[in-house]
């Protein structure tokens, strides 16, 4: 998706993303791009197979250079998490341990709360082919598991990072959301103006069969236009439609009823 022309402040906060023994530089680059999309910027690599830096990673990052440039490499996972207060480990498979297991949405909300409290947090992602070992998971505080098809549970590393990054971004206040048009709720004055107009044009076209039924019919019309909570803009559209009908509809004798009444 193309970015907007308006310059926006770059979001760069939140948990560290920690990749354990990633293989392809392209995968690391796609992880960096996913992080940048959703406001994360701290990428840590544990013993990447092809070393670091990696030009293939930069090319695949699609201009997420701030993530690539700040990436730090570690020789062991214990070193990569040493300064963190809280760590999540991602896995698609059930594990035999006593760690709490959360879904992505709940886990991201907890990370946001910890971030707000000043804690340093991180999320572990395993190898492309077989994920994290039990010993590596033991270094985490909790597990996050994605709700995936049990018959096809394998996610590539960039997909997994994208999912967690997206859930992280949802918990923030600065996420880019679809713009909502600011519509002004109609006041009683606007409703009254429409009702006066309808009273006149309907009367001119013989809509009210008898004078004694007119008050009740007008009450029903007022209830119709009041119940949905119309906006000023919506009433203006209706007024334009009615005005068009008024222009091309002949006047009818009083009491002749609606045009389709027989």
């Amino acid at each position: 998706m193309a970015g907007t022309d308006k310059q926006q402040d770059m979001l760069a906060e939140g948990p560290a993303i920690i990749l354990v023994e990633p293989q392809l530089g392209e995968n690391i680059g796609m992880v960096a791009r996913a992080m940048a999309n959703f406001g994360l910027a701290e990428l840590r690599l544990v013993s990447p197979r092809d070393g670091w830096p990696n030009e293939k990673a930069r090319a695949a990052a699609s201009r997420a250079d701030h993530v690539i440039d700040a990436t730090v490499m570690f020789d062991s996972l214990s070193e990569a998490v040493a300064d963190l207060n809280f760590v999540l480990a991602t896995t698609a498979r059930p594990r035999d341990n006593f760690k709490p297991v959360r879904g992505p949405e709940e886990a991201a909300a907890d990370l946001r709360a910890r971030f707000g409290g000043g804690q340093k947090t991180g999320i572990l992602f395993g190898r492309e082919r077989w994920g994290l070992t039990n010993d590596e998971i033991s270094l985490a505080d909790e597990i996050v598991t994605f709700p995936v098809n049990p018959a096809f549970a394998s996610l590539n590393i960039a997909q997994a990072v994208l999912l967690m990054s997206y859930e992280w971004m949802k918990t923030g206040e600065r996420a880019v959301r679809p713009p909502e048009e600011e519509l002004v709720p109609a006041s009683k004055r606007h409703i009254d103006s429409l009702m006066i107009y309808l009273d006149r044009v309907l009367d001119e076209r013989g809509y009210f069969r008898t004078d004694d039924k007119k008050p009740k019919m007008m009450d029903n019309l007022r209830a119709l236009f009041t119940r949905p909570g119309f906006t000023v803009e919506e009433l203006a559209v209706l007024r334009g439609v009615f005005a068009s009908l008024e222009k091309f509809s002949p006047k009818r004798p009083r009491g002749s009823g609606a045009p389709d009444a027989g």
Side-chain angles (χ1 to χ4, degrees), residues 127-187:
R127 300 153 189 84
E128 288 93 332
R129 295 183 62 185
W130 46 279
L132 296 165
T133 67
N134 286 333
D135 286 343
E136 290 161 348
I137 290 176
S138 71
L139 296 177
D141 298 280
E142 295 183 0
I143 290 172
V144 58
T145 298
F146 304 120
V148 294
N149 183 350
F152 198 76
S154 177
L155 292 174
N156 71 43
I157 193 169
Q159 288 175 321
V161 172
L162 182 78
L163 283 173
M164 281 306 301
S165 300
Y166 168 69
E167 292 296 342
W168 163 262
M169 189 64 163
K170 280 169 52 180
T171 65
E173 298 179 355
R174 295 178 62 190
V176 177
R177 295 178 173 86
E180 295 182 2
E181 185 178 358
E182 294 185 4
L183 300 178
V184 180
S187 66

Side-chain angles (χ1 to χ4, degrees), residues 27-76:
N27 288 343
I28 299 173
M30 288 187 287
V31 164
R33 180 178 183 177
M35 292 171 60
N37 282 148
F38 297 105
L40 300 179
E42 187 176 357
L43 178 59
R44 303 183 181 189
L45 306 178
V46 178
S47 301
R49 185 189 67 180
D50 297 334
W52 192 259
N54 187 304
E55 288 307 310
K56 291 183 178 179
R58 184 178 297 277
S62 188
R63 296 182 295 176
D65 292 326
H66 64 291
V67 178
I68 295 295
D69 292 339
T71 298
V72 179
M73 186 174 70
F74 296 85
D75 293 328
S76 69

Side-chain angles (χ1 to χ4, degrees), residues 190-241:
H190 292 99
I191 299 293
D192 288 341
S193 175
L194 178 63
M195 297 311 299
I196 292 170
Y197 170 76
L198 286 177
D199 189 331
R200 177 179 63 79
V201 297
L202 291 177
D203 198 39
E204 289 176 350
R205 279 150 184 80
Y207 180 80
F208 305 109
R209 287 183 174 274
T210 59
D211 286 339
D212 63 312
K213 291 185 178 181
K214 178 179 175 179
K216 177 61 176 176
M217 296 175 74
M218 288 299 297
D219 285 344
N220 289 341
L221 283 172
R222 180 179 291 274
L224 175 66
F225 289 115
T226 302
R227 187 183 302 116
F230 283 105
T231 65
V232 172
E233 292 81 2
E234 290 168 336
L235 289 185
V237 170
L238 284 173
R239 187 72 170 255
V241 171

